[in-house]
Amino acid sequence: MEKDARPKWDSPVQFVLACVSYAVGLGNVWRFPYLCQMHGGGGFLIPYLLMLFLEGVPLFYLELAIGQKMRLGSIGAWTAISPYLGGMGLASVVTSLYLCLYYNIINAWSFWYLFHSFQSVLPWAECPINANRTGPIKECEQATPTQYFFYRETLDISSSIEENGGIHTGQALCLILAWIITYLFIVRGVKSTGKVVYFTATFPYVVLFVYLIRGITLHGAINGVKYMFTPKMEQLANPTTWINAATQIFFSLGLGFGSLIAFSSYNQYNNNFERQAIVVSLINSGTSIFASIVTFAIYGFKATVNYENCLERTRLLLLNAFNLAEDSITVDTVYDWIEKLNATYPEQFAELNTRLENCDLESELDTAVEGTGLAFIVYSEAIKNMPLSQLWSVLYFIMLLLLGMGSMLGNVTAIITPLRDFKVISRMSSELFNGLVCLFCLLLGLGFTTTSGSYWFTMFNDYGATFSLLFIVLIEVITVSYIYGIKRFEKDIEDMLGHRPNWYWKIMWTFTSPLLLIALFIFYIINYIKGGTPTYQAWNKELGKSVVTEYPVFGQVFIGLLLASSVSCVPLTALCFHCNRKSSPVI
């Protein structure tokens, strides 16, 4: 496609909103709060914000600059820098394809929960009755109603990745709906996306703000917020804390997928991407912190309810065991009575020891959950205990959908834009080509709606992108700084912005960011080797919980293919170009 004929954003605001919609995604809601919980609450913000300025913002700036200068997608941009590097763009496309395949299934689950929220009683609020109508279904009794609804009703999950069943019709229909909406959002390329982002980038903040007001007014919410902002500074001595902070910044901003290069390629040549890179990065990190306050308020409510329910069960046990008057023990005096009864009736109390629960609010708050477990189980459990639970459920899953759909716009654009730069494909209409890409992803994605699909989802989520993105961005920053040349890159930026980047950007690109990426890359490889045989969480319906299970041989082989397939694009493309060059006759 000729550069002069390239479509453009209607305004810089559209571009910023597209970047925000893409970067602010489900990870801000379900990954960052988990890391805060794991690594010392407010103390985690110190390494997180440091990594934002040492790694996140400079690399975000770099990708925007490349896209705006070259005005091409990832494949064309890197090929323009050096034909040997075209494989970097291809690796980004392959990684984005993997992400598209499994990411939209999360949107399908959100649709499923949204449609089930319009009921007088939320279906995950209580266990269904068994076939004999003598009591609740055993699997639900062993687990919880929210776990049962997710694993059995939503996923209809098998007991392992080796046991496969048919397609879950409800999930397949929800996935089709998710892909139809994705197609409508990108049907005419940047012209469609530019209109949609006004909604997908802003409405989640409205819902988050409403949830913040509701969250902090819930009983016990203050316990969760206090927990978040109480720093455990000893965690700063833990290397894993710093590595997780760097990794979270890296993936939260969506670096390496090619989406940012694609988005910025539709900018005016003199657009001020430097300011936009800083603004979008700060909005993204601010959203993570904002979403964490909401999440920890919900955590506090859920933990307090569970803690008080535990105390109530203990109270009833003591009343019945010692034939005490109903009002003699209150929830607030349970522990006082335990000490008193233990001292007065030691033998009788000893018999109760096996039945007494250890009720501890701190341990409830320490229970860390991430990913789908947080989004579809923990949140659902908290929502069912709220007044007007249906309203809060509808709002929550609409927010999840908008966050997911906003990220999908960037994911699909990262595939479509580089491919449309090829002359053969550029002759096709946007509507037809974009439709074919969405249809292809939908057909492959139907595999995630089978009974073992959730395990394949986990495999793609764990191994489909992490390794390849670290590799891609490491090669990107080395290429720009040492192959293309930092002086030449400075001149390009001056040509677009009217001034050269200052010393901060140059130090980050040439020294700090590459070192951090090399450290992350080495850490990932060491962790993978030390981890032994890869494992996943398999659902055991007899126990009503997930159990750690090793991947079978075919699963391990597939993981190897996932890790190698995108990364191998870089050396293979360079090798192909070298061979073609040698075989071409010299004129």
Side-chain angles (χ1 to χ4, degrees):
M1 185 183 293
E2 292 298 323
K3 290 184 180 180
D4 292 338
R6 194 172 191 80
K8 294 182 178 68
W9 300 106
D10 290 344
S11 69
V13 173
Q14 275 191 0
F15 169 65
V16 170
L17 289 177
C19 290
V20 168
S21 184
Y22 165 65
V24 176
L26 297 169
N28 299 73
V29 174
W30 71 26
R31 174 74 177 161
F32 183 79
Y34 164 78
L35 292 175
C36 272
Q37 200 173 8
M38 286 290 290
H39 298 297
F44 181 70
L45 296 177
I46 296 169
Y48 177 77
L49 293 174
L50 270 174
M51 291 300 171
L52 172 66
F53 291 104
L54 294 177
E55 171 196 47
V57 182
L59 295 175
F60 199 88
Y61 182 126
L62 182 141
E63 290 205 357
L64 295 189
I66 290 165
Q68 188 164 309
K69 171 65 183 175
M70 300 301 175
R71 297 182 67 197
L72 292 164
S74 55
I75 296 175
W78 293 113
T79 303
I81 289 172
S82 169
Y84 285 97
L85 296 172
M88 283 167 56
L90 188 57
S92 292
V93 170
V94 171
T95 306
S96 294
L97 174 64
Y98 291 159
L99 186 65
C100 281
L101 292 182
Y102 77 85
Y103 200 92
N104 233 5
I105 195 67
I106 304 170
N107 293 325
W109 295 341
S110 296
F111 271 123
W112 176 264
Y113 270 78
L114 177 63
F115 297 149
H116 281 83
S117 298
F118 297 97
Q119 298 185 30
S120 55
V121 177
L122 292 175
W124 56 85
E126 52 192 39
C127 286
I129 304 300
N130 61 28
N132 298 327
R133 309 196 67 79
T134 55
I137 290 174
K138 185 183 176 185
E139 183 182 358
C140 187
E141 270 192 310
Q142 292 291 100
T144 64
T146 46
Q147 286 177 316
Y148 178 82
F149 184 80
F150 180 66
Y151 288 110
R152 186 55 52 215
E153 299 289 343
T154 304
L155 305 180
D156 193 21
I157 198 166
S158 60
S159 59
S160 76
I161 196 171
E162 295 173 271
E163 290 181 30
N164 196 17
I167 287 174
H168 187 311
T169 307
Q171 284 304 311
L173 292 173
C174 287
L175 183 63
I176 292 168
L177 177 60
W179 273 110
I180 289 172
I181 292 174
T182 302
Y183 172 67
L184 293 175
F185 281 1
I186 52 103
V187 61
R188 291 175 58 240
V190 71
K191 294 297 179 187
S192 301
T193 305
K195 305 293 188 294
V196 170
V197 292
Y198 283 106
F199 186 63
T200 59
T202 56
F203 191 74
Y205 290 98
V206 176
V207 179
L208 270 177
F209 184 73
V210 172
Y211 250 95
L212 176 67
I213 302 301
R214 182 67 190 103
I216 59 177
T217 59
L218 289 169
H219 173 58
I222 192 65
N223 294 324
V225 176
K226 270 189 204 169
Y227 183 92
M228 176 187 170
F229 284 105
T230 304
K232 297 173 183 172
M233 302 308 284
E234 65 274 10
Q235 280 290 330
L236 295 180
N238 182 359
T240 309
T241 301
W242 293 84
I243 288 159
N244 280 339
T247 309
Q248 175 62 15
I249 285 290
F250 182 88
F251 294 113
S252 181
L253 289 172
L255 303 168
F257 286 104
S259 303
L260 299 173
I261 293 175
F263 279 156
S264 60
S265 73
Y266 299 117
N267 278 335
Q268 298 288 347
Y269 187 73
N270 299 114
N271 174 64
N272 190 347
F273 59 85
E274 180 176 271
R275 183 172 58 206
Q276 291 164 341
I278 296 167
V279 167
V280 174
S281 300
L282 291 176
I283 288 173
N284 179 62
S285 295
T287 304
S288 292
I289 296 167
F290 180 42
S292 289
I293 296 171
V294 178
T295 300
F296 274 91
I298 302 291
Y299 264 149
F301 167 64
K302 176 182 169 290
T304 303
V305 168
N306 288 349
Y307 171 64
E308 290 180 351
N309 286 343
C310 178
L311 289 177
E312 179 61 21
R313 289 192 297 271
T314 305
R315 186 183 81 87
L316 292 174
L317 180 64
L318 295 176
L319 289 175
N320 294 330
F322 294 96
N323 294 318
L324 300 169
E326 179 68 28
D327 58 351
S328 58
I329 304 177
T330 65
V331 169
D332 296 328
T333 61
V334 164
Y335 281 110
D336 295 334
W337 275 92
I338 286 175
E339 286 182 22
K340 188 189 295 184
L341 293 170
N342 191 21
T344 312
Y345 309 103
E347 291 181 10
Q348 193 176 346
F349 195 86
E351 294 174 9
L352 283 181
N353 266 340
T354 54
R355 296 164 61 193
L356 275 175
E357 297 177 67
N358 181 25
C359 304
D360 182 28
L361 181 60
E362 192 71 17
S363 66
E364 285 284 349
L365 288 166
D366 280 338
T367 306
V369 184
E370 66 169 325
T372 52
L374 172 60
F376 295 102
I377 297 175
V378 174
Y379 257 98
S380 296
E381 194 169 324
I383 287 169
K384 76 176 185 182
N385 292 318
M386 294 180 187
L388 297 174
S389 55
Q390 292 82 358
L391 170 65
W392 299 110
S393 181
V394 167
L395 276 176
Y396 172 68
F397 289 109
I398 286 176
M399 180 189 74
L400 276 194
L401 272 170
L402 289 174
L403 289 172
M405 286 295 178
S407 295
M408 277 301 296
L409 296 181
N411 300 337
V412 179
T413 302
I415 299 172
I416 289 170
T417 299
L419 296 180
R420 282 195 65 78
D421 288 335
F422 291 101
K423 286 184 179 178
V424 176
I425 295 173
S426 68
R427 295 193 186 104
M428 295 173 66
S429 68
S430 293
E431 291 85 352
L432 176 60
F433 178 66
N434 296 354
L436 289 174
V437 169
C438 289
L439 180 62
F440 177 73
C441 292
L442 165 64
L443 293 175
L444 290 181
L446 285 172
F448 295 111
T449 66
T450 61
T451 54
S452 63
S454 174
Y455 303 129
W456 290 98
F457 167 87
T458 302
M459 186 190 291
F460 270 77
N461 190 38
D462 290 345
Y463 302 103
T466 310
F467 180 74
S468 54
L469 290 179
L470 287 171
F471 178 77
I472 291 166
V473 179
L474 175 59
I475 301 298
E476 276 184 7
V477 74
I478 290 172
T479 296
V480 169
S481 297
Y482 300 103
I483 298 175
Y484 187 73
I486 197 69
K487 294 289 184 187
R488 191 175 167 193
F489 190 52
E490 282 181 61
K491 192 173 182 308
D492 288 340
I493 291 170
E494 184 180 24
D495 190 35
M496 290 185 282
L497 300 183
H499 65 85
R500 294 197 171 214
N502 61 34
W503 59 269
Y504 161 73
W505 301 110
K506 288 183 277 187
I507 290 172
M508 293 302 111
W509 291 329
T510 56
F511 179 69
T512 310
S513 294
L515 282 181
L516 277 172
L517 286 167
I518 289 167
L520 284 173
F521 193 67
I522 292 170
F523 176 79
Y524 183 88
I525 293 171
I526 291 170
N527 256 17
Y528 183 75
I529 294 168
K530 282 172 65 179
T533 306
T535 60
Y536 65 102
Q537 296 279 341
W539 181 252
N540 187 314
K541 67 178 183 180
E542 277 74 32
L543 299 175
K545 64 178 183 180
S546 298
V547 292
V548 177
T549 308
E550 289 187 351
Y551 278 109
V553 173
F554 71 83
Q556 295 173 45
V557 170
F558 194 84
I559 287 169
L561 289 173
L562 277 179
L563 292 171
S565 55
S566 53
V567 170
S568 62
C569 292
V570 179
L572 288 177
T573 305
L575 183 63
C576 285
F577 177 75
H578 181 70
C579 292
N580 287 339
R581 193 177 178 187
K582 284 185 72 176
S583 61
S584 299
V586 179
I587 298 172

mmCIF file of all heavy atoms in Angstrom, residues 357-372:
data_model
loop_
_atom_site.group_PDB
_atom_site.id
_atom_site.type_symbol
_atom_site.label_atom_id
_atom_site.label_comp_id
_atom_site.label_asym_id
_atom_site.label_seq_id
_atom_site.Cartn_x
_atom_site.Cartn_y
_atom_site.Cartn_z
ATOM 1 N N GLU A 357 -12.652 -24.532 63.796
ATOM 2 C CA GLU A 357 -11.958 -23.911 62.671
ATOM 3 C C GLU A 357 -11.040 -22.803 63.172
ATOM 4 O O GLU A 357 -11.310 -22.186 64.200
ATOM 5 C CB GLU A 357 -12.968 -23.304 61.690
ATOM 6 C CG GLU A 357 -13.893 -24.316 61.045
ATOM 7 C CD GLU A 357 -14.923 -23.641 60.145
ATOM 8 O OE1 GLU A 357 -14.504 -23.076 59.117
ATOM 9 O OE2 GLU A 357 -16.116 -23.659 60.480
ATOM 10 N N ASN A 358 -9.968 -22.558 62.436
ATOM 11 C CA ASN A 358 -9.078 -21.442 62.766
ATOM 12 C C ASN A 358 -9.533 -20.215 61.987
ATOM 13 O O ASN A 358 -9.245 -20.070 60.803
ATOM 14 C CB ASN A 358 -7.628 -21.800 62.408
ATOM 15 C CG ASN A 358 -6.664 -20.669 62.770
ATOM 16 O OD1 ASN A 358 -6.963 -19.872 63.664
ATOM 17 N ND2 ASN A 358 -5.556 -20.593 62.072
ATOM 18 N N CYS A 359 -10.290 -19.340 62.642
ATOM 19 C CA CYS A 359 -10.834 -18.146 61.979
ATOM 20 C C CYS A 359 -9.818 -17.015 62.083
ATOM 21 O O CYS A 359 -9.530 -16.554 63.190
ATOM 22 C CB CYS A 359 -12.152 -17.727 62.638
ATOM 23 S SG CYS A 359 -13.402 -19.040 62.666
ATOM 24 N N ASP A 360 -9.298 -16.586 60.939
ATOM 25 C CA ASP A 360 -8.263 -15.549 60.951
ATOM 26 C C ASP A 360 -8.467 -14.626 59.754
ATOM 27 O O ASP A 360 -8.387 -15.064 58.602
ATOM 28 C CB ASP A 360 -6.877 -16.200 60.895
ATOM 29 C CG ASP A 360 -5.761 -15.171 60.961
ATOM 30 O OD1 ASP A 360 -5.979 -14.098 61.553
ATOM 31 O OD2 ASP A 360 -4.686 -15.435 60.401
ATOM 32 N N LEU A 361 -8.753 -13.364 60.024
ATOM 33 C CA LEU A 361 -9.001 -12.386 58.965
ATOM 34 C C LEU A 361 -7.757 -12.183 58.098
ATOM 35 O O LEU A 361 -7.844 -12.085 56.873
ATOM 36 C CB LEU A 361 -9.443 -11.049 59.580
ATOM 37 C CG LEU A 361 -9.756 -9.919 58.596
ATOM 38 C CD1 LEU A 361 -10.884 -10.303 57.652
ATOM 39 C CD2 LEU A 361 -10.115 -8.639 59.346
ATOM 40 N N GLU A 362 -6.584 -12.150 58.725
ATOM 41 C CA GLU A 362 -5.337 -11.911 57.985
ATOM 42 C C GLU A 362 -5.078 -13.024 56.969
ATOM 43 O O GLU A 362 -4.665 -12.763 55.841
ATOM 44 C CB GLU A 362 -4.167 -11.813 58.970
ATOM 45 C CG GLU A 362 -2.867 -11.289 58.365
ATOM 46 C CD GLU A 362 -2.917 -9.807 58.017
ATOM 47 O OE1 GLU A 362 -3.808 -9.097 58.525
ATOM 48 O OE2 GLU A 362 -2.075 -9.376 57.217
ATOM 49 N N SER A 363 -5.333 -14.270 57.376
ATOM 50 C CA SER A 363 -5.098 -15.381 56.446
ATOM 51 C C SER A 363 -6.099 -15.355 55.291
ATOM 52 O O SER A 363 -5.786 -15.747 54.166
ATOM 53 C CB SER A 363 -5.166 -16.723 57.177
ATOM 54 O OG SER A 363 -6.472 -16.962 57.639
ATOM 55 N N GLU A 364 -7.326 -14.866 55.562
ATOM 56 C CA GLU A 364 -8.311 -14.708 54.487
ATOM 57 C C GLU A 364 -7.816 -13.680 53.471
ATOM 58 O O GLU A 364 -7.937 -13.867 52.262
ATOM 59 C CB GLU A 364 -9.660 -14.249 55.061
ATOM 60 C CG GLU A 364 -10.441 -15.329 55.788
ATOM 61 C CD GLU A 364 -11.121 -16.311 54.850
ATOM 62 O OE1 GLU A 364 -11.162 -16.053 53.638
ATOM 63 O OE2 GLU A 364 -11.589 -17.354 55.328
ATOM 64 N N LEU A 365 -7.239 -12.591 53.978
ATOM 65 C CA LEU A 365 -6.723 -11.544 53.093
ATOM 66 C C LEU A 365 -5.451 -11.980 52.370
ATOM 67 O O LEU A 365 -5.143 -11.481 51.291
ATOM 68 C CB LEU A 365 -6.440 -10.267 53.896
ATOM 69 C CG LEU A 365 -7.668 -9.485 54.370
ATOM 70 C CD1 LEU A 365 -7.273 -8.466 55.424
ATOM 71 C CD2 LEU A 365 -8.367 -8.801 53.209
ATOM 72 N N ASP A 366 -4.716 -12.916 52.962
ATOM 73 C CA ASP A 366 -3.471 -13.403 52.358
ATOM 74 C C ASP A 366 -3.715 -14.354 51.194
ATOM 75 O O ASP A 366 -2.797 -14.643 50.427
ATOM 76 C CB ASP A 366 -2.603 -14.131 53.398
ATOM 77 C CG ASP A 366 -1.842 -13.149 54.275
ATOM 78 O OD1 ASP A 366 -1.643 -12.000 53.837
ATOM 79 O OD2 ASP A 366 -1.465 -13.521 55.396
ATOM 80 N N THR A 367 -4.936 -14.873 51.078
ATOM 81 C CA THR A 367 -5.237 -15.840 50.027
ATOM 82 C C THR A 367 -5.213 -15.137 48.681
ATOM 83 O O THR A 367 -6.117 -14.385 48.338
ATOM 84 C CB THR A 367 -6.624 -16.492 50.246
ATOM 85 O OG1 THR A 367 -6.674 -17.037 51.562
ATOM 86 C CG2 THR A 367 -6.876 -17.583 49.231
ATOM 87 N N ALA A 368 -4.149 -15.355 47.928
ATOM 88 C CA ALA A 368 -3.949 -14.635 46.669
ATOM 89 C C ALA A 368 -4.504 -15.438 45.493
ATOM 90 O O ALA A 368 -4.226 -16.624 45.353
ATOM 91 C CB ALA A 368 -2.464 -14.361 46.460
ATOM 92 N N VAL A 369 -5.297 -14.769 44.660
ATOM 93 C CA VAL A 369 -5.871 -15.405 43.474
ATOM 94 C C VAL A 369 -5.660 -14.462 42.300
ATOM 95 O O VAL A 369 -5.789 -13.250 42.429
ATOM 96 C CB VAL A 369 -7.385 -15.662 43.649
ATOM 97 C CG1 VAL A 369 -7.947 -16.403 42.445
ATOM 98 C CG2 VAL A 369 -7.649 -16.453 44.916
ATOM 99 N N GLU A 370 -5.313 -15.035 41.132
ATOM 100 C CA GLU A 370 -5.122 -14.202 39.941
ATOM 101 C C GLU A 370 -5.918 -14.788 38.783
ATOM 102 O O GLU A 370 -6.510 -15.860 38.865
ATOM 103 C CB GLU A 370 -3.645 -14.128 39.562
ATOM 104 C CG GLU A 370 -3.063 -15.446 39.112
ATOM 105 C CD GLU A 370 -1.681 -15.304 38.492
ATOM 106 O OE1 GLU A 370 -1.436 -14.286 37.817
ATOM 107 O OE2 GLU A 370 -0.872 -16.213 38.666
ATOM 108 N N GLY A 371 -5.915 -14.062 37.666
ATOM 109 C CA GLY A 371 -6.484 -14.558 36.421
ATOM 110 C C GLY A 371 -7.968 -14.851 36.507
ATOM 111 O O GLY A 371 -8.742 -14.156 37.157
ATOM 112 N N THR A 372 -8.362 -15.929 35.818
ATOM 113 C CA THR A 372 -9.782 -16.270 35.746
ATOM 114 C C THR A 372 -10.346 -16.583 37.130
ATOM 115 O O THR A 372 -11.528 -16.357 37.378
ATOM 116 C CB THR A 372 -9.988 -17.481 34.813
ATOM 117 O OG1 THR A 372 -9.117 -18.540 35.228
ATOM 118 C CG2 THR A 372 -9.676 -17.119 33.379
#
